[in-house]
Amino acid sequence: MLKVEGIHVYYGLSHILFEVSLEVHPGEVVCLLGRNGAGKSTTMRGIMGLNPPRQGKVLFEDQDLSGKKPFEIARLGLGYVPDDRRVFADLTVAENLDIVEGVSKRKPQWTRDRLFEFFPPLAPIAHRKAGLLSGGEQQMLTIARALMTNPKLLLLDEPTEGLAPLVVKTLEEQISSLKEAGLTVLLAEQNQKMALRLSDRAYVIDNGSIRYHGTIQELRENDEVRRKYLLV
Ligand SMILES: Nc1ncnc2c1ncn2[C@@H]1O[C@H](COP(=O)(O)OP(=O)(O)O)[C@@H](O)[C@H]1O
Ligand SMILES: [Mg+2]
């Protein structure tokens, strides 16, 4: 579904990603693991065309994304939840969802009501201003908002960062239900426990290069890679 082929991404003159390649197949949850500063967010930004690769390319359902604008890439069916958890603070929870309704031309799979069923904590606070929500609630809302655009593939950038353990557990269950509902996910995480439980396969990134990829089982058995690139 998604094929990243040897991309190099820069911020200005700083060369950040080196020859990064990865693949996500339909129905998979694939995690991109790495320490802080490893290049996870930059990979996501490269895929979404926010920092377009200077070399290499990204294919989505065999379509080359080179030269496409972020909104065009989103319209093809890539949902993106950045790491900043930004909501429209002055809008209510329901309005945050309504505002993106119909952004995609595909047949809607997700409606506001279905999302409230999927994220039960959001239902009773539908009319509260989003700026007043807890961090966990805001994270659920940003994921729900991305789903309103009916993505085929969802890019989730460190959804659990800085959240309390109980909230992390809830989010983990919700992401797991999304997978069961057929959503394909690329998940960037530092939290390997959660990521390994949720994912089918893993890529490990360090210093802007992919150092390892394999199944979750293989990664669990590979202490060397986990010690070298993941444990802080
Ligand atoms: N806007 C930016 N300008 C310059 N360098 C940046 C910018 N954002 C991130 N970087 C650098 O790019 C590298 C990768 O960052 P990032 O992709 O955010 O890592 P991660 O998401 O894995 O924590 C880091 O060295 C970081 O300092
Ligand atoms: Mg990041």
Side-chain angles (χ1 to χ4, degrees):
M1 182 178 253
L2 179 75
K3 254 191 200 170
V4 176
E5 296 185 349
I7 61 170
H8 291 252
V9 174
Y10 294 69
Y11 289 112
L13 292 174
S14 309
H15 193 168
I16 305 292
L17 294 189
F18 302 84
E19 201 69 28
V20 166
S21 298
L22 59 86
E23 276 187 41
V24 183
H25 307 297
E28 275 190 319
V29 175
V30 172
C31 60
L32 180 61
L33 293 167
R35 294 195 185 104
N36 200 15
K40 302 180 296 296
S41 298
T42 307
T43 303
M44 300 254 172
R45 294 178 59 85
I47 294 169
M48 288 308 295
L50 292 159
N51 286 80
R54 293 210 196 148
Q55 280 179 59
K57 61 183 172 187
V58 179
L59 302 172
F60 180 63
E61 296 186 319
D62 296 324
Q63 214 179 132
D64 191 343
L65 302 186
S66 307
K68 292 207 188 315
K69 297 255 181 324
F71 78 88
E72 294 170 320
I73 293 173
R75 257 186 208 160
L76 290 175
L78 274 108
Y80 173 47
V81 182
D83 56 0
D84 59 13
R85 229 165 266 168
R86 212 171 290 168
V87 293
F88 299 108
D90 290 333
L91 302 186
T92 66
V93 168
E95 287 166 346
N96 265 271
L97 298 176
D98 291 346
I99 205 163
V100 294
E101 195 177 3
V103 162
S104 85
K105 308 265 183 307
R106 280 184 309 287
K107 190 163 96 46
Q109 280 173 299
W110 293 96
T111 58
R112 199 170 87 182
D113 288 344
R114 183 159 178 233
L115 284 166
F116 283 151
E117 274 168 37
F118 237 86
F119 299 95
L122 293 181
I125 53 173
H127 300 294
R128 192 174 302 167
K129 288 238 158 73
L132 302 176
L133 306 187
S134 71
E137 290 164 345
Q138 288 187 350
Q139 185 61 280
M140 278 176 218
L141 179 56
T142 54
I143 296 173
R145 192 178 54 195
L147 290 170
M148 276 298 271
T149 67
N150 292 293
K152 299 176 191 167
L153 169 65
L154 187 64
L155 306 183
L156 278 177
D157 196 351
E158 293 208 53
T160 65
E161 195 201 354
L163 298 177
L166 206 61
V167 183
V168 172
K169 195 164 166 286
T170 307
L171 265 178
E172 182 182 332
E173 286 162 7
Q174 290 166 341
I175 297 168
S176 169
S177 316
L178 291 176
K179 178 188 158 85
E180 276 162 36
L183 190 71
T184 309
V185 178
L186 178 61
L187 172 70
E189 263 301 339
Q190 285 193 62
N191 178 351
Q192 36 162 330
K193 268 199 183 146
M194 193 272 288
L196 294 187
R197 280 196 299 261
L198 272 176
S199 308
D200 301 299
R201 289 190 302 112
Y203 290 82
V204 175
I205 187 168
D206 188 61
N207 254 314
S209 297
I210 300 288
R211 308 291 180 177
Y212 179 86
H213 68 99
T215 64
I216 295 305
Q217 191 55 32
E218 286 162 353
L219 182 58
R220 280 190 198 282
E221 287 163 6
N222 195 328
D223 284 341
E224 195 198 330
V225 163
R226 298 198 309 161
R227 237 190 341 258
K228 208 161 158 193
Y229 301 120
L230 297 180
L231 301 180
V232 187

